[in-house]
Amino acid sequence: MAAAASMMPIFGHQISSKNDLVPDWNREEVSTGTTIMAVEYDGGVVIGADSRTTTGAYIANRVTDKLTRIHDRIYCCRSGSAADTQAIAEVVSYQLGFHSVELDEPPLVETAANLFRASCYRYREELMAGILVAGWDRRKGGQVYCVPIGGMLVRQPVAVGGSGSTYVYGFMDSNYKPGLNKDQCLELTASALSLAMERDGSSGGVIRLASISEDGVERRVILGDQLPRFSTH
Amino acid sequence: MEKHYTDSKVKGVSTGTTILAAIFDGGVVIGSDSRASIGGEYVSSKTINKVIQVHDRIFCCMAGSLADAQAVIKSAKSHLSFHSVQMESPPLVIAAASILKELCYKNKDELQAGFLTAGWDGKKGPQVYVVSLGGMLISQQVTIGGSGSTYIYGYVDAKYKPNMTREECLQFATNALALAMGRDNVSGGVAHLVVITEKGVEHVVVPGDKLPRFNDE
């Protein structure tokens, strides 16, 4: 299986260098190289993420929680630099909380997504953050917004992100259909994350899932030995 | 993000591509897309065939630099037919794969080519071998390669089962290629598939408009 992956030409890739004598976790920034996913269903959203945070080859945290609460029924999935995404999420939480108090009603998911986009776009040169914003509000129900690196904003019924996401585009395209219910979405998310974690070195650990609806937020964890398994070859 | 940028301006025409080979009960399916591009900006051929016959029941798919791959295959074909004459019997699939591997490994500094070799022989039946960029040779039940393959690792891991029937395997291969072509901008065109069994070889070409569609918005 490693052979097929290495068939992609990688230019300028040094086989060894002086830097190999110094462990790279002293030099590398902390990154949530990751797999994150969010799916809309009628009545809410399901979000999921792996739990690995790396500094180079060292796994700094193997039980990370990348599903961050922004408001009661709005969460974000973080990928990219751990520091950048934590900082942005804190700023947006504050801004959204303030806005919600001013309005005297729960904020819209679209508002939260726009706040993320505003920060990510304004500081695009300094930041490395890919974020999925997902939640439920009374106006439009369950919504998923994608704010990738660079600061674009787009709403999608299903979105994946992070380094592991490339491996599951095909699986997503073939298995997602509009009109799935909550349990089907949870199963789809768990399967896709499991497949990505199997192939991406920067993703792994446990699967964290959450479903957000009018009734609130339900969180669950799928541990390593309970991950969905597929016929291996 | 520059992750999958293939610097093909150095090597000329490059097969940014998707290739795949899978064993089923009684044979093997090998297939590819049909796009050749220059730097991901211009499609130099919409209908190139990347599945090359190196012997009666042995086929190869190439990935990487088209020029390098064609040169290596040409040399391998002649080595293989000479070997076959010497042995007075059809060559083994592993012989074809080993010849490719020798060429790739001995010339690894100059070449940028990888291969999937699939075929049927009397000794081991259907087999699939991968020769990677640096010249590693391994045998697998199912394998994918090329730039488009990253998008279908999840699909292939989930959907491939050993001992499928011929029809199931063909459908699986067609779906996998279609999904990869849908996401990779340097893969596209038609799906070329070859089914190799003890009885013989069958070519299946699925034109672009007949490829399965998956929620294409």
Side-chain angles (χ1 to χ4, degrees), chain B residues 45 54 116 178:
Chain B
S45 171
V54 294
L116 302 187

Side-chain angles (χ1 to χ4, degrees), chain B residues 51-68:
Chain B
V51 186
I52 310 291
Q53 183 161 24
V54 294
H55 209 268
D56 291 348
R57 285 198 185 25
I58 308 177
F59 281 73
C60 280
C61 267
M62 38 192 183
S65 156
L66 185 54
D68 287 351

Side-chain angles (χ1 to χ4, degrees), chain A residues 1-7 199, chain B residues 132 136 138 140:
Chain A
M1 276 154 266
S6 69
M7 283 172 83
R199 287 289 182 179
Chain B
S132 69
M136 175 175 81
I138 59 171
Q140 293 189 289

